[in-house]
Amino acid sequence: MEDYPSPYIAHNVPLVVLSGLGDGSRNKGRERLHPLAHGEGATVQSDLPLIAGERAEQLLEEFTAVGGSTKSWNSRPESGKSDLIQFHLEVAGRKYALPARKAAPPPSSPSMTPQAGQSSSITANRVLHSPLSPLSPGSPLYPDGIMSASWLEKHQYHVPAVFVSFFQLSSDPNRDSLNDNYLKNEINNIKSVFSRSGHRSRYVVVLMCEESVSEASDIEERLAVIRRATGLDPKNSLFFLPPNNSRAELSTFATSTLAALQPVCIEYYRDLTKHARRKKSRSTVPPPTAPPTKGTSQALTAQGWSVRYDVKGGIFAEFRQEMEAAGRNYTMALETLLGSDGIFETTHSWSPRWDEARLLADALATRIIRCFLWNNQTTSATQFWVKYRDSFRNLLDRRSKGTANYGWQVWMGRWAKIMAQTMLKAELPSFSAPTKRETLDAPKLDIIVYAAAEKMFPVGERMPPWNLLAHPGYWFWLSARHAARRRTLAEQIPEEDRITPGQSPATKVASRSQNYDYYLCPESHEEFAFDHGAEMTSVLNLSIAEFSKRGQHRFAARLALDRARELMKANQYSIALDSLSDVWQRMSWRDEGWWRLAYEVISSLYECAVASKDVGLVIATSFELMSSIYPIKRSHQYDLARCVDVLEMRPDKSQEKALVNLQGESVCSFGETSSRPTIDMANCFGVSISFNFASALGNVGEPTVVQIAMTSSAHEASAPVTLSLLAVGFEGSLEQIHLGHNDSADAEDTKESGKSSVQKIDLVQIDRSGPLQSVQGYGNLILHPGATTAFECLLTCKEAGDIRATSARLSIDASAFSINYSVPLSVDETTGDWLIQNDRGIQRRRLPQENPTMIHILPKPPKMQISLPGLLEQYYVGETITLEVEVVNGEEENAEAHAQLHLFDRSGDGSSYDFTSTTPNIESSSTSNEDQLRTAKSFRVGTIAPSEKQILTISLTAPTEPASLSLETKVLYHLESDPSTPISKTFTGLVEVVHPFEASYHTSIYVHPDKWPDFFHVDEANHPNAANLGLARAWLISTETASFATDELLIQDIALKSTGSSAEIPYKITARDGSVGSSGKVLALSQHLDKQFEIVVYTLGPEDRTPVTLDLVLDVIWRRTKGSASLNEKAEADESVTTSMLLSPFVVTNPEPRLICTASPSKSTGQDHSVIPLSYTLENPTMHFLTFSVTMEASEEFAFSGPKNTSFNLVPMSRHEIQYYVMPLESAEDDGEEPRQLRPDLKVVDVYFGQTLKVLAGDGVSSDKQGIYVELGGEGSLPSS
């Protein structure tokens, strides 16, 4: 953009002049940036002093910060400014000169002087126009020019939209009136100057007071007087700033003032637009001040005036920031210029007006593109540029000197830079640079190469790529390409055109103007001497920065290579060296196999290093150029030991030998010479290294075969390379393997096959103080081109664990330098080839393991035997368990042993169980691991002779719940011959603990034999519970205990107890005589044992109706039988174990009336019929008087004796018994049928509440869903008395 006049290219914003603010130091010592080119008009001045001081400077800074014109070319508002547009603020003193509104009358020539008596009306009737109008004779556009940059400069830098005067409002009471009158006169004078000048600028006054309104009570009145006398509008023409403002308040005042002036500025430029539109709508061309003289160009045509007015309309719209309207006006003006009857078609290409029109066309095209990008219409901007370029190419080929000259390339290169610079100024959101990619192997980012088409284009429409806007880096690169073509054309300039015009004949000089296009470019003799390389380097730097921002590292490297070539052509080798070093260190062309590009980088870097005498880079690039994947470089000496001879450096014994460290991943440092970062060079250097283990597993103390192989891919004509050292680094217990060079090391064991060989190397331990192991050996390390050298070694590891080969390093020690090259060892498709040398040469065998660079070293195989003799299949909860651990020494020599025993629950959370040691003469101690919640006990076993055994005895109490316990025994020992090598053996035994029993129970109603207390009389002697008048209620609990133990167990006793109750009430549990007996009972698997218990619950008082829940536990006291096959020999048979089993809770409901039926043994009648006595007990535990009606239903199955229908009353806390005798009419035995059931049906109804009581089964009576019944005959029937 710098080739065009700045007013043509600059973004137009409203001009605001700040007058009288500051001490004038900002403008002192420098002239006005844009002086008036065509004379001054009216002058705005005032005699009042400038407002100086810190406050004025701060206010001026805030105005500049808020309304500065440094904002990007886009419609997005800056933070904190909302919709405030940009302003161009011009700081002036008390004097400001406006440009002349009309041009001065032209001087009259003698021939035009009127004769005596001739009328002077010709001079008087001349129409004066603007000094910049094509109608004024003094204008540079006179008579047929269209537009010049001076007109844009006038409106952008000279004619303000708003003129702001800052005045100090004094606070002297004695001179307030006089000062105010003087201030009013100054304001009115300035207003009259603007009125007489003809300019439509708005005038604004800012009054800065010395005292606040609260301190001077007449401030408001003074302001009102000034406002009325000057006619200033307080909304947008008169502003007042009180004193003592903070910096934030000054910023707010500046923002609010400019926000109030924004519509004023827009209205000002809208008036100018209307004025230009009215002139365009006229049908005639305005008359000039003086007609053109004979023989000159004609006046400006109507098309030219149309272009002029359209340009003005677009400029004024851009002042208003209405970019769509501005773009439409610019487009109409450009179409008129390029039309079939436009300026270019009616003007000769040799005329200066042609270049003026071309300059205007370029400015209009630039502004149109800016309008498109302002509205984020990227595709429209690109399509317009393509159309404009093609139109101008066609125009130049038809009407001018064509496009096959360097002038066209200059124009194209300039326009490519304009596109990139416009995009950077617009800060398009589509091209926001993504997050920086650190490495080339990072995940692929969404790189925005070009902007997507806007919504106005149909979705899915296929567009050529040149119609989509690419990022600025592409346009800078395009500019560099045109610069290269420009140089090519410049080099083709003939000899006669390279001579300056002063030294050439006039005919030759005249012919040049017909052959070359000099539009904004040097003439032919200057073009040939132009520094095109500097031009290309500058734009390539900009292009590389843009491509790198977006992660396009490959193309950025390609451009950097082009930049280095240009620098090398200019003999700037040091700068090119820095540029190529970065490319060489980070390029991905090695990994991707772009060897030709990589070779160009390395070859150019080598030339720069030689020219710059950089020893380190000469060595590094020579090392890489030896690889046969690169082409042979002519005149290059492929001898690595003599690669520095090309530098022709004199030997200096006092200087240290150059050291070059080439690391395959991180750093490449060049000793005392230089230091630069580098990249992975493993795949492109002339040597590759591999390392393989022969097997995937090994043991401590046993030799393992390893092989290190080196393959040279150097050029066949290159000299052999002698290595001074080959080292392999490891992860794990092994640190390094060092192989040194020795010419005679393989004289006996090596059989050469051509130049390839497999050497057998003996490794010895390196004495080091560190914990890791290192070994070394010697072999023939001469590496011939295209040969493979392998080294087989026997490696003995002394520690267990994983060992992995991670890196390899080779060293070359030459007379003038040393090289250390390190490369990581990775697993790929070439890894795992084992080289074997035989009579047929070198053969390859594929290793079976997945990762041949890794081996797992196992501990030395232990021969110590551990067992648990006498371990039972299962143990039972609560019993004492005794375990024996037997340790047998299976080694061939004495062993010093320690044992660690850990007992833990493998089925639960893994918590440890405690145990005690009962082994005499064995020391024990406890160790804990808080991370794993493990507690182990250590035993010092001592020295065990071969085949000798030691027994460790432990004892523990089995847990109260079933569990699966693991006894982990770990024996740590070492042999007396090798105390430094620890050996361990681990054995785990399973101890199953199960429940031996399962218990269940059922309940039945039981009528307590004790009498209830009398409601009317308390007999303390007969009623022990009479103190609280409580009632006793009884239940019968029948328990059943089943054995789940595989062994026979002797049941000694069974007890029922309660572990708690839901309420504090008295209760009693009594055992009835069971089937256990005094000597106990033996239970086998699946057998069961029954026992009954009575539970009596007492209420706390007559009105106690609290329900109670009892938690029942059944304790089974047992021991193993002496004849049990699984009884431990050392366990005592009479040791009793109590196993507690939790039963379901027993619920005692609140006291309610109930009816209980009990049956006594049947009585014989002597007539083959039995009589069953039935007793119905009716209880009333409440405090109510109850009346019951009793009805015994008749049945055909039995006859009964007792009341058929009756009723009776029950007083509170009493019970009544009704006796029936029931005789079955038929017996089951007589019919030969199964025992049948007798179901008496007694109805007891509460007369008052109308409720029927349910009959509950007591002793001798059973119940089901149909009711109670008495079993007749069979096993469960009542016996006869």
Side-chain angles (χ1 to χ4, degrees):
M1 294 184 183
E2 59 275 1
D3 294 334
Y4 295 97
S6 61
Y8 266 160
I9 303 299
H11 175 48
N12 300 118
V13 294
L15 174 62
V16 177
V17 176
L18 306 179
S19 174
L21 188 62
D23 57 1
S25 61
R26 294 175 179 266
N27 298 327
K28 192 176 297 183
R30 65 182 181 94
E31 298 179 354
R32 195 167 180 178
L33 293 178
H34 302 275
L36 294 174
H38 299 283
E40 296 184 357
T43 301
V44 181
Q45 61 182 356
S46 175
D47 296 333
L48 292 177
L50 296 173
I51 302 177
E54 182 182 359
R55 182 185 179 210
E57 292 295 332
Q58 292 179 355
L59 181 60
L60 183 58
E61 292 176 0
E62 294 299 333
F63 268 103
T64 306
V66 173
S69 58
T70 58
K71 180 187 170 185
S72 303
W73 292 351
N74 54 58
S75 59
R76 297 186 298 275
E78 294 183 5
S79 59
K81 297 184 181 180
S82 62
D83 295 332
L84 193 64
I85 65 175
Q86 302 177 53
F87 295 91
H88 178 71
L89 302 180
E90 183 77 21
V91 181
R94 289 302 185 190
K95 184 177 180 180
Y96 187 83
L98 295 171
R101 183 73 174 82
K102 298 292 184 180
S108 299
S109 63
S111 62
M112 296 181 63
T113 303
Q115 302 294 330
Q118 187 178 4
S119 174
S120 61
S121 61
I122 297 178
T123 304
N125 291 334
R126 287 178 177 176
V127 180
L128 300 180
H129 300 279
S130 169
L132 301 177
S133 173
L135 303 174
S136 299
S139 172
L141 301 177
Y142 182 80
D144 55 353
I146 302 176
M147 182 65 69
S148 67
S150 300
W151 184 88
L152 285 83
E153 181 180 347
K154 181 185 75 170
H155 284 279
Q156 182 62 76
Y157 302 110
H158 299 300
V159 181
V162 176
F163 188 90
V164 183
S165 293
F166 289 83
F167 295 111
Q168 187 77 39
L169 190 62
S170 64
S171 59
D172 188 359
N174 298 326
R175 298 179 57 86
D176 284 349
S177 178
L178 181 61
N179 293 336
D180 291 352
N181 292 332
Y182 192 75
L183 180 60
K184 289 184 286 186
N185 293 334
E186 291 292 327
I187 295 174
N188 289 326
N189 290 337
I190 295 175
K191 291 183 63 177
S192 63
V193 170
F194 276 106
S195 178
R196 292 192 305 270
S197 67
H199 296 289
R200 305 183 183 188
S201 302
R202 273 53 169 177
Y203 182 58
V204 176
V205 175
V206 177
L207 299 178
M208 301 175 64
C209 184
E210 297 178 355
E211 296 181 359
S212 62
V213 179
S214 60
E215 296 176 355
S217 59
D218 58 341
I219 291 294
E220 291 288 350
E221 183 179 354
R222 293 172 60 188
L223 292 176
V225 172
I226 295 174
R227 184 172 61 252
R228 288 193 298 270
T230 57
L232 297 175
D233 189 354
K235 294 182 179 179
N236 52 23
S237 299
L238 181 62
F239 298 92
F240 175 74
L241 178 63
N244 303 327
N245 307 102
S246 64
R247 196 62 182 262
E249 292 174 340
L250 291 178
S251 177
T252 303
F253 176 78
T255 303
S256 60
T257 302
L258 291 179
L261 297 181
Q262 179 171 318
V264 176
C265 296
I266 293 176
E267 186 63 28
Y268 166 77
Y269 291 108
R270 185 171 285 116
D271 292 343
L272 296 180
T273 304
K274 294 177 181 178
H275 181 68
R277 191 180 299 120
R278 285 194 298 267
K279 286 186 175 182
K280 181 181 178 181
S281 62
R282 297 173 184 174
S283 58
T284 59
V285 177
T289 301
T293 59
K294 295 181 179 180
T296 62
S297 300
Q298 300 298 319
L300 185 63
T301 62
Q303 288 82 3
W305 282 104
S306 178
V307 171
R308 182 177 175 86
Y309 291 134
D310 286 336
V311 171
K312 288 184 177 181
I315 296 298
F316 292 142
E318 191 168 345
F319 271 112
R320 301 192 306 270
Q321 308 296 292
E322 298 175 2
M323 304 304 289
E324 291 186 6
R328 289 193 298 269
N329 284 275
Y330 294 147
T331 303
M332 289 189 294
L334 186 60
E335 289 176 351
T336 306
L337 276 176
L338 298 175
S340 59
D341 55 350
I343 301 300
F344 291 106
E345 299 294 337
T346 59
T347 305
H348 296 289
S349 61
W350 48 262
S351 173
R353 298 303 183 193
W354 173 279
D355 288 343
E356 290 179 3
R358 190 173 176 183
L359 190 66
L360 178 61
D362 285 350
L364 291 175
T366 303
R367 290 177 175 268
I368 292 172
I369 292 174
R370 182 167 62 209
C371 293
F372 279 127
L373 297 184
W374 184 281
N375 298 314
N376 203 25
Q377 296 177 350
T378 56
T379 304
S380 300
T382 309
Q383 290 179 342
F384 167 78
W385 151 245
V386 173
K387 181 180 178 182
Y388 178 70
R389 179 200 62 193
D390 295 341
S391 299
F392 242 95
R393 179 189 286 114
N394 181 34
L395 177 65
L396 295 178
D397 289 338
R398 289 188 301 104
R399 299 278 301 165
S400 188
K401 299 153 190 173
T403 57
N405 51 67
Y406 68 87
W408 172 255
Q409 300 300 331
V410 173
W411 187 82
M412 288 291 293
R414 182 187 305 113
W415 258 104
K417 289 175 61 177
I418 289 175
M419 290 292 292
Q421 292 169 352
T422 306
M423 293 167 60
L424 293 176
K425 289 287 290 182
E427 294 184 358
L428 298 173
S430 303
F431 293 114
S432 297
T435 304
K436 183 178 180 182
R437 180 155 49 175
E438 297 295 338
T439 61
L440 295 173
D441 298 331
K444 184 178 180 181
L445 302 177
D446 294 332
I447 301 175
I448 301 177
V449 179
Y450 54 86
E454 50 261 29
K455 295 182 180 179
M456 61 179 294
F457 296 96
V459 178
E461 179 181 357
R462 295 179 63 87
M463 289 186 179
W466 52 83
N467 282 352
L468 298 174
L469 184 63
H471 65 77
Y474 163 79
W475 295 99
F476 283 126
W477 168 68
L478 200 61
S479 178
R481 290 181 59 188
H482 288 295
R485 296 171 185 172
R486 173 187 177 183
R487 179 175 58 189
T488 302
L489 294 174
E491 292 173 351
Q492 298 174 1
I493 296 176
E495 253 341 290
E496 60 271 14
D497 293 342
R498 301 177 185 178
I499 305 174
T500 58
Q503 301 175 358
S504 299
T507 56
K508 295 291 184 180
V509 175
S511 65
R512 294 183 191 179
S513 61
Q514 302 298 325
N515 299 328
Y516 302 103
D517 187 0
Y518 294 151
Y519 172 69
L520 296 182
C521 63
E523 295 185 7
S524 58
H525 65 281
E526 296 175 348
E527 177 67 19
F528 181 77
F530 184 78
D531 191 357
H532 301 90
E535 174 72 14
M536 294 179 61
T537 302
S538 62
V539 293
L540 283 175
N541 288 334
L542 299 174
S543 180
I544 291 170
E546 294 296 327
F547 276 101
S548 299
K549 283 181 184 177
R550 289 161 179 83
Q552 296 177 271
H553 299 289
R554 296 178 180 85
F555 201 81
R558 184 69 177 85
L559 297 179
L561 178 59
D562 295 339
R563 176 182 60 186
R565 288 171 177 169
E566 295 300 325
L567 293 172
M568 292 171 64
K569 290 179 180 179
N571 293 329
Q572 298 179 2
Y573 289 101
S574 59
I575 303 177
L577 182 69
D578 294 334
S579 176
L580 285 176
S581 295
D582 294 337
V583 178
W584 177 64
Q585 294 153 8
R586 296 181 175 87
M587 65 178 175
S588 61
W589 299 330
R590 295 187 185 94
D591 296 334
E592 297 165 356
W594 294 9
W595 304 118
R596 185 64 190 178
L597 283 174
Y599 169 73
E600 293 180 8
V601 173
I602 301 167
S603 179
S604 300
L605 183 61
Y606 175 78
E607 295 178 10
C608 294
V610 172
S612 302
K613 295 189 181 303
D614 193 321
V615 179
L617 277 178
V618 169
I619 299 170
T621 52
S622 299
F623 187 61
E624 188 169 2
L625 285 173
M626 292 187 65
S627 177
S628 60
I629 59 178
Y630 298 125
I632 296 179
K633 184 177 178 64
R634 294 182 180 179
S635 70
H636 180 72
Q637 184 179 11
Y638 285 92
D639 189 353
L640 190 61
R642 302 178 58 190
C643 64
V644 295
D645 293 349
V646 70
L647 300 178
E648 298 180 356
M649 299 176 61
R650 294 182 179 179
D652 188 358
K653 297 182 179 180
S654 62
Q655 185 178 5
E656 294 184 3
K657 188 165 54 174
L659 175 62
V660 179
N661 292 324
L662 301 177
Q663 297 183 4
E665 289 182 341
S666 57
V667 175
C668 175
S669 63
F670 302 107
E672 301 296 332
T673 306
S674 59
S675 176
R676 294 180 176 89
T678 189
I679 33 64
D680 187 3
M681 308 173 190
N683 297 328
C684 56
F685 278 174
V687 59
S688 61
I689 306 173
S690 64
F691 180 90
N692 295 311
F693 286 100
S695 60
L697 296 176
N699 293 98
V700 173
E702 296 180 0
T704 301
V705 183
V706 300
Q707 188 178 86
I708 308 171
M710 296 188 304
T711 301
S712 172
S713 59
H715 290 285
E716 293 182 359
S718 62
V721 177
T722 301
L723 307 181
S724 60
L725 176 67
L726 174 60
V728 179
F730 298 87
E731 284 183 356
S733 59
L734 183 62
E735 183 177 7
Q736 279 188 345
I737 295 178
H738 291 264
L739 297 182
H741 176 63
N742 189 349
D743 291 330
S744 60
D746 59 342
E748 298 180 358
D749 298 332
T750 302
K751 298 179 180 179
E752 293 192 356
S753 175
K755 295 180 182 179
S756 300
S757 63
V758 177
Q759 305 177 25
K760 297 186 181 300
I761 305 297
D762 295 330
L763 300 179
V764 295
Q765 180 76 26
I766 300 178
D767 295 333
R768 289 190 177 181
S769 59
L772 300 180
Q773 177 186 4
S774 295
V775 293
Q776 67 179 0
Y778 292 92
N780 191 340
L781 300 184
I782 298 178
L783 193 59
H784 296 271
T788 299
T789 302
F791 305 95
E792 282 190 9
C793 315
L794 291 178
L795 179 64
T796 303
C797 299
K798 294 187 176 182
E799 292 187 12
D802 291 333
I803 299 177
R804 185 173 67 90
T806 57
S807 62
R809 176 173 59 90
L810 57 86
S811 299
I812 302 174
D813 190 5
S815 59
F817 62 88
S818 297
I819 297 178
N820 291 327
Y821 170 57
S822 300
V823 60
L825 296 178
S826 58
V827 180
D828 52 23
E829 62 275 3
T830 62
T831 307
D833 289 339
W834 190 271
L835 303 181
I836 302 174
Q837 186 172 11
N838 49 33
D839 297 337
R840 294 179 295 175
I842 300 296
Q843 304 294 325
R844 294 180 180 270
R845 180 174 62 87
R846 192 69 179 174
L847 294 175
Q849 56 262 37
E850 182 179 357
N851 186 0
T853 63
M854 183 175 179
I855 187 173
H856 180 67
I857 301 299
L858 300 173
K860 189 173 183 179
K863 298 181 181 179
M864 194 74 68
Q865 300 176 5
I866 307 173
S867 61
L868 295 177
L871 181 67
L872 303 182
E873 294 183 1
Q874 60 179 214
Y875 295 88
Y876 308 117
V877 295
E879 71 170 323
T880 301
I881 302 175
T882 301
L883 301 175
E884 293 180 348
V885 180
E886 184 179 85
V887 180
V888 180
N889 183 12
E891 300 285 351
E892 297 178 356
E893 54 182 303
N894 295 343
E896 184 70 22
H898 289 76
Q900 290 183 355
L901 274 66
H902 176 222
L903 184 66
F904 60 94
D905 185 2
R906 56 179 297 178
S907 60
D909 56 358
S911 58
S912 300
Y913 282 90
D914 192 17
F915 57 88
T916 59
S917 173
T918 59
T919 306
N921 301 326
I922 296 294
E923 299 180 2
S924 64
S925 61
S926 298
T927 58
S928 299
N929 188 342
E930 295 182 359
D931 295 337
Q932 302 179 2
L933 299 177
R934 298 166 64 97
T935 301
K937 289 192 176 183
S938 300
F939 300 86
R940 185 181 181 280
V941 181
T943 303
I944 308 178
S947 302
E948 184 182 354
K949 67 177 179 180
Q950 287 282 357
I951 296 179
L952 306 177
T953 305
I954 63 172
S955 178
L956 70 148
T957 301
T960 58
E961 295 294 335
S964 180
L965 306 182
S966 289
L967 179 61
E968 183 181 271
T969 304
K970 183 176 183 181
V971 177
L972 302 174
Y973 69 97
H974 64 266
L975 303 180
E976 291 184 351
S977 61
D978 188 8
S980 62
T981 303
I983 307 174
S984 64
K985 178 66 177 291
T986 302
F987 175 80
T988 301
L990 184 61
V991 180
E992 294 287 350
V993 180
V994 299
H995 243 307
F997 308 106
E998 184 179 87
S1000 62
Y1001 76 95
H1002 66 272
T1003 62
S1004 59
I1005 303 298
Y1006 172 62
V1007 179
H1008 197 272
D1010 294 345
K1011 294 183 178 181
W1012 284 16
D1014 191 351
F1015 181 73
F1016 302 99
H1017 176 71
V1018 177
D1019 186 2
E1020 296 182 0
N1022 297 329
H1023 299 281
N1025 199 29
N1028 53 15
L1029 295 180
L1031 303 180
R1033 291 180 295 169
W1035 287 267
L1036 187 63
I1037 304 297
S1038 300
T1039 64
E1040 181 180 279
T1041 304
S1043 175
F1044 284 176
T1046 57
D1047 304 315
E1048 291 184 351
L1049 303 180
L1050 178 63
I1051 308 301
Q1052 296 177 329
D1053 194 8
I1054 299 178
L1056 181 67
K1057 64 180 181 180
S1058 174
T1059 58
S1061 60
S1062 60
E1064 295 293 336
I1065 61 171
Y1067 63 91
K1068 183 173 62 175
I1069 301 177
T1070 306
R1072 288 190 175 183
D1073 294 337
S1075 57
V1076 176
S1078 58
S1079 60
K1081 184 176 181 180
V1082 176
L1083 278 185
L1085 179 63
S1086 301
Q1087 293 182 352
H1088 62 87
L1089 183 63
D1090 300 333
K1091 189 170 184 179
Q1092 293 182 338
F1093 300 89
E1094 296 179 2
I1095 297 181
V1096 180
V1097 180
Y1098 300 93
T1099 60
L1100 298 178
E1103 298 183 359
D1104 182 19
R1105 303 174 60 83
T1106 305
V1108 180
T1109 300
L1110 300 180
D1111 298 327
L1112 300 181
V1113 174
L1114 187 66
D1115 289 342
V1116 179
I1117 303 173
W1118 59 276
R1119 62 178 175 84
R1120 293 181 181 269
T1121 60
K1122 294 183 178 180
S1124 176
S1126 61
L1127 183 63
N1128 194 315
E1129 296 179 358
K1130 297 185 178 181
E1132 297 184 1
D1134 57 353
E1135 182 180 358
S1136 299
V1137 181
T1138 301
T1139 300
S1140 299
M1141 292 173 287
L1142 185 65
L1143 303 178
S1144 58
F1146 178 72
V1147 180
V1148 180
T1149 60
N1150 54 349
E1152 293 290 343
R1154 63 179 182 174
L1155 180 63
I1156 304 171
C1157 177
T1158 58
S1160 301
S1162 60
K1163 298 180 180 181
S1164 177
T1165 60
Q1167 300 178 358
D1168 297 332
H1169 290 283
S1170 301
V1171 176
I1172 303 173
L1174 295 180
S1175 177
Y1176 289 88
T1177 303
L1178 185 60
E1179 296 178 347
N1180 179 19
T1182 66
M1183 295 299 294
H1184 301 280
F1185 288 89
L1186 302 178
T1187 301
F1188 298 95
S1189 64
V1190 179
T1191 301
M1192 172 62 80
E1193 298 292 340
S1195 176
E1196 295 179 355
E1197 297 180 354
F1198 63 87
F1200 67 90
S1201 171
K1204 170 67 175 175
N1205 292 311
T1206 183
S1207 62
F1208 55 88
N1209 297 323
L1210 281 181
V1211 297
M1213 299 179 62
S1214 63
R1215 59 186 178 183
H1216 179 72
E1217 183 176 350
I1218 305 175
Q1219 191 72 34
Y1220 285 93
Y1221 293 94
V1222 179
M1223 182 181 67
L1225 298 179
E1226 295 180 0
S1227 63
E1229 290 79 358
D1230 296 341
D1231 297 339
E1233 299 178 357
E1234 295 182 355
R1236 59 190 181 90
Q1237 301 172 351
L1238 182 67
R1239 297 181 178 272
D1241 188 9
L1242 180 69
K1243 304 286 186 181
V1244 179
V1245 181
D1246 187 340
V1247 176
Y1248 182 79
F1249 293 101
Q1251 294 183 354
T1252 301
L1253 298 184
K1254 180 181 180 180
V1255 182
L1256 303 178
D1259 289 345
V1261 181
S1262 302
S1263 63
D1264 55 14
K1265 294 181 179 180
Q1266 299 180 7
I1268 64 171
Y1269 63 90
V1270 179
E1271 191 77 28
L1272 299 179
E1275 184 179 354
S1277 61
L1278 295 174
S1280 300
S1281 59

